[in-house]
Amino acid sequence: MQFVIYMGCVASMLIAIQTIYPMEYIVDGQNPQASDQNIGTVDRPLKTIRKAGEMAHAGDSVIAKAGVYRESIPLSNSGTPQSPIRFIADPQGSVVISELTIQESLI
């Protein structure tokens, strides 16, 4: 029973930290170390913008490195007018998001 209470306290503290300190999630589809099982840091980037969008909460930023990302990005959480979820290309203008994939046999 004490373990359950302890885990509940830890979860509450993590939620409070998330609210106070916005997170940055790094996405780098070109990085061979990238995986959607990672935590989204520079050393352990996410593979897809979609996964970062699922993880992001109000005030967080998703920083996508250069590349073409063939995916849709439904948002699991929403920002607020005061704390939007930001999607940032790094460098600016270097990210293309396209859900369209052309099959060679159709060309």
Side-chain angles (χ1 to χ4, degrees), residues 5 12 17 23 32 47 50-51 56 58 65 92 96 100 103:
I5 293 170
S12 296
I17 290 171
M23 302 290 293
K47 185 81 171 170
R50 178 187 190 103
K51 181 62 176 179
K65 299 295 184 178
Q92 186 175 353
V96 174
L100 177 64
Q103 295 179 357

Side-chain angles (χ1 to χ4, degrees), residues 55-77:
M55 296 169 67
H57 293 274
D60 292 347
S61 296
V62 174
I63 301 171
K65 299 295 184 178
V68 176
Y69 295 86
R70 299 190 190 285
E71 57 187 282
S72 62
I73 306 168
L75 296 177
S76 299
N77 304 299

Side-chain angles (χ1 to χ4, degrees), residues 26-90:
I26 307 297
V27 180
D28 190 352
Q30 304 295 324
N31 186 326
Q33 300 301 317
S35 168
D36 282 346
Q37 303 303 313
N38 287 345
I39 56 175
T41 61
V42 172
D43 295 332
R44 296 182 61 202
L46 296 166
K47 185 81 171 170
T48 65
I49 298 172
R50 178 187 190 103
K51 181 62 176 179
E54 291 173 1
M55 296 169 67
H57 293 274
D60 292 347
S61 296
V62 174
I63 301 171
K65 299 295 184 178
V68 176
Y69 295 86
R70 299 190 190 285
E71 57 187 282
S72 62
I73 306 168
L75 296 177
S76 299
N77 304 299
S78 62
T80 66
Q82 300 79 20
S83 298
I85 297 172
R86 293 175 182 85
F87 288 82
I88 302 164
D90 180 29

Side-chain angles (χ1 to χ4, degrees), residues 8 19 46 71 84 98 106:
T19 303
L46 296 166
E71 57 187 282
S98 173
L106 299 177

